[in-house]
Amino acid sequence: MSKRFNEDLVEIARSEVTAGRMSRRDFVQLCLIAGVAPVVASTGIMSPGEAMAQAKELVLANFGGDAVKGMGEAWGEPFTKDTGINVVVDGATPLAGKIKAMVESGKVVWDVCDADGFLCNQLGSQGLLEDVDYSIVDKSMVRDGWAWPQGVANYTYSFVIAYKKSMFPDKPPTYADFFDVEKYPGKRTMWKYQMGAMEACLLGDGVPPDQLYPADIDRAVKKAKSFADNIIYWESGASSQQLFMDEEVVMGNIWNTRSSILERDTDGEVTWTWDQGLFCPAAFVIPKGNPAGAKVANEFLASILIPERQIKLLELLGNGPSNPKASEMLPENLRRLDPGYPTNLAKQIMRNEEWYEKNYDLAVEKWLDGISS
């Protein structure tokens, strides 16, 4: 069947759903067979994963790429084995604005969403999230302060300095070195969207680690602009990695997950340091009115905190455990990869979730305006 014919077939079926002559589950199945993204008249265009939520399965929304398969294997499959509830991982990028639009329109299609820790309170205070039921979720299985009323930490990650080993054979660079292009020539890379990059600029400008917050965004922008043509901003994890592989940059402020892949793929020519890294909690949140129900979603949150499942995610994706007990159980070969392993964490700076909760939107806006002007 041609693509156009399949699309027409789905369009006919959509009309049948609207008229009440076909169930949504049958509609989703038809779409998947036809290889066409499901379309439901009342909710607009939806991805296959989104549509499956309408079929009362648990849909986990994350940011795509390898995380779709990784979270499915580490967290989805064991939950299904435990409960019989199928988990569909939808890499449709559950940004805060999209969660807000879904909840306010009453057309929620996700059950659990991947988010940053500071978004739990930011979205929760707006009435957009279900409460975490701590009679189901054991808050002692995450670090102190990471069990929020409307979200719980699911994994950790860090922004770190990745660099060419040949430039620093004796010791890793600092952010002072990062910004010293006369002593260490070559282009650098930082994230286009402020987080991590702002802290790198402030550290490079001499701000002590314990005085990063409240952050001086204007000072950070000024430092970034001092780089002039020596900076290339990355927009995705893949692009940050590729800039090193293409030898366009010699140092970068990038995610630890990409740094460890670079070390592997370059046989150690590119490596990273935990020194001055920015340690961050990610979190799972439950959109208000999620299709599978709050109880099922809470049971899923409880399941992903089991140490063995957190370790599995570290093995697959490089995301650190949010459960400290999982870090304690790590074999030797995984300890260096875990941002939260005690010896790695001791070298880093904790992101201030309270500051980001109140200032994130303004910070991104000022940063983007500043570096583009």
Side-chain angles (χ1 to χ4, degrees):
M1 290 188 288
S2 70
K3 180 180 178 183
R4 287 187 177 180
F5 180 81
N6 281 349
E7 289 173 346
D8 186 62
L9 181 65
V10 171
E11 180 62 23
I12 293 171
R14 183 186 63 79
S15 299
E16 294 298 292
V17 172
T18 303
R21 292 187 290 267
M22 176 182 281
S23 71
R24 291 192 174 197
R25 177 177 290 276
D26 288 342
F27 175 67
V28 170
Q29 292 299 321
L30 183 148
C31 290
L32 295 176
I33 291 170
V36 176
V39 179
V40 178
S42 62
T43 55
I45 297 174
M46 303 195 311
S47 70
E50 290 171 336
M52 290 298 279
Q54 301 286 336
K56 306 301 181 186
E57 293 180 294
L58 188 139
V59 174
L60 166 61
N62 69 13
F63 290 86
D66 291 343
V68 172
K69 183 179 179 183
M71 288 189 184
E73 185 175 339
W75 291 342
E77 290 177 10
F79 182 73
T80 299
K81 187 176 181 181
D82 290 344
T83 65
I85 298 171
N86 190 38
V87 176
V88 176
V89 183
D90 185 1
T93 312
L95 296 174
K98 195 165 185 179
I99 295 172
K100 180 180 175 69
M102 279 188 179
V103 174
E104 291 184 342
S105 67
K107 298 169 183 173
V108 178
V109 294
W110 292 325
D111 293 298
V112 174
C113 296
D114 199 7
D116 269 293
F118 61 85
L119 284 174
C120 298
N121 285 343
Q122 190 186 81
L123 296 179
S125 65
Q126 300 175 60
L128 300 172
L129 304 177
E130 298 284 352
D131 291 343
V132 174
D133 185 344
Y134 286 108
S135 69
I136 298 174
V137 180
D138 183 353
K139 64 170 59 178
S140 72
M141 295 177 75
V142 296
R143 297 173 189 276
D144 289 343
W146 285 7
W148 297 278
Q150 287 91 26
V152 67
N154 51 2
Y155 60 84
T156 67
Y157 67 97
S158 294
F159 289 89
V160 298
I161 303 176
Y163 62 99
K164 292 189 69 172
K165 176 73 174 176
S166 57
M167 292 176 64
F168 299 91
D170 300 325
K171 68 175 185 61
T174 66
Y175 277 113
D177 300 324
F178 187 86
F179 283 90
D180 191 345
V181 293
E182 290 189 7
K183 188 174 182 180
Y184 303 105
K187 291 185 181 296
R188 280 52 160 174
T189 186
M190 297 191 296
W191 198 23
K192 179 179 178 180
Y193 296 104
Q194 179 270 332
M195 194 184 299
M198 179 191 74
E199 285 84 354
C201 288
L202 293 174
L203 291 167
D205 205 39
V207 176
D210 62 354
Q211 295 178 29
L212 276 181
Y213 306 99
D216 187 337
I217 305 168
D218 294 329
R219 182 174 176 177
V221 169
K222 184 178 179 182
K223 186 67 175 179
K225 294 186 73 170
S226 73
F227 249 152
D229 294 332
N230 293 302
I231 183 72
I232 302 174
Y233 289 100
W234 56 271
E235 296 196 41
S236 68
S239 67
S240 72
Q241 185 178 329
Q242 196 60 46
L243 286 168
F244 276 98
M245 297 303 292
D246 293 342
E247 299 188 347
E248 292 191 61
V249 300
V250 297
M251 282 193 275
N253 170 254
I254 67 177
W255 291 321
N256 67 289
T257 46
R258 292 291 175 176
S259 298
S260 60
I261 293 172
L262 277 166
E263 185 180 76
R264 181 197 67 195
D265 291 349
T266 64
D267 293 327
E269 182 180 350
V270 176
T271 186
W272 83 95
T273 176
W274 292 113
D275 292 341
Q276 297 186 308
L278 184 70
F279 183 64
C280 312
F284 275 154
V285 298
I286 307 169
K288 196 82 170 181
N290 69 300
K295 183 174 184 297
V296 170
N298 273 284
E299 289 171 346
F300 179 74
L301 298 191
S303 74
I304 65 101
L305 298 179
I306 295 171
E308 288 79 5
R309 298 178 188 184
Q310 296 236 311
I311 293 171
K312 184 66 175 180
L313 194 77
L314 175 64
E315 290 177 329
L316 293 172
L317 297 177
N319 295 353
S322 61
N323 184 345
K325 292 190 182 304
S327 288
E328 294 172 5
M329 294 166 55
L330 290 178
E332 181 72 29
N333 65 314
L334 291 179
R335 292 173 185 171
R336 182 165 175 265
L337 303 182
D338 175 17
Y341 193 73
T343 53
N344 302 331
L345 182 57
K347 300 175 181 178
Q348 300 182 72
I349 303 157
M350 296 281 285
R351 186 177 67 189
N352 187 315
E353 300 306 289
E354 185 177 0
W355 186 88
Y356 267 97
E357 176 191 332
K358 297 173 181 173
N359 297 282
Y360 175 69
D361 294 338
L362 175 64
V364 173
E365 181 181 348
K366 290 186 72 171
W367 174 266
L368 290 175
D369 285 348
I371 65 171
S372 61
S373 62

